[in-house]
Amino acid sequence: MQAGSDIQRAAHAALNAVLHRDTAKISYNMPYARTVEAVPTLSQGCGSTRLVHHDVVLTYQFEQLKLPQLSPYQGQVGDFFYSPAKVPSAYELRPGDCVIAIDTAGSLDDSAWLARTRAAAQLHADLRRKLGHDSHAAFKRQIAGTDFHADLIVLTRYVVTAPVQLAREQEIVR
């Protein structure tokens, strides 16, 4: 009976690997579709919305949808809508506009990003939504000896309270 249960466990593990389900590789489980679907809801009540993130998959998806974003990956990978010459280096925002900061598995630390923009006084966080959970975060933390975020994606909406200019980061800074 032991051999049968071992075979069942092996078959189950192989199926999970093939389907990329319950894997330790986080990107297989990343809820990108839910993230893209959440943007219109989070943008309700905003004058205009800019998306800030450090994720190449979201860069591609948002460019295909022609959504204004500030990503260091814009115009650098694949068949993008924008050519690098058309990628804006900054956006002027007015009171009532919104910025949605999207942290994918710890890729964008909101407080560090706000400090780099020097715009913390003009941005007020009023809404936060978490999507997905990394069930392997504790294991990764233990093995790597460093922090792994249990929330796969965290979207934070900031409402602009005073005129501000936000620049696109040219490189990934963590």
Side-chain angles (χ1 to χ4, degrees), residues 27-156:
S27 62
Y28 292 138
N29 302 318
M30 196 66 73
Y32 286 119
R34 288 176 48 208
T35 303
V36 173
E37 291 168 359
V39 169
T41 302
L42 292 172
S43 297
Q44 288 179 351
C46 300
S48 68
T49 301
R50 299 295 182 263
L51 308 169
V52 176
H53 60 87
H54 291 171
D55 191 288
V56 68
V57 174
L58 289 177
T59 301
Y60 178 79
Q61 291 181 343
F62 292 146
E63 285 193 355
Q64 293 303 304
L65 295 170
K66 302 178 185 174
L67 296 175
Q69 61 183 319
L70 294 164
S71 167
Y73 293 112
Q74 284 176 277
Q76 296 181 14
V77 181
D79 181 24
F80 283 78
F81 173 75
Y82 297 112
S83 71
K86 293 182 181 178
V87 174
S89 60
Y91 285 108
E92 298 287 336
L93 300 171
R94 298 179 305 268
D97 290 345
C98 294
V99 175
I100 299 175
I102 305 170
D103 176 1
T104 53
S107 66
L108 182 68
D109 178 334
D110 283 13
S111 58
W113 169 75
L114 283 171
R116 288 192 304 274
T117 65
R118 295 184 211 101
Q122 293 90 353
L123 300 174
H124 169 70
D126 76 332
L127 188 62
R128 181 171 281 222
R129 181 174 293 167
K130 296 177 181 182
L131 303 175
H133 180 76
D134 181 3
S135 58
H136 301 285
F139 173 73
K140 293 176 193 176
R141 199 175 299 124
Q142 186 178 27
I143 296 298
T146 186
D147 190 30
F148 281 88
H149 294 265
D151 299 310
L152 295 178
I153 296 183
V154 178
L155 297 99
T156 306

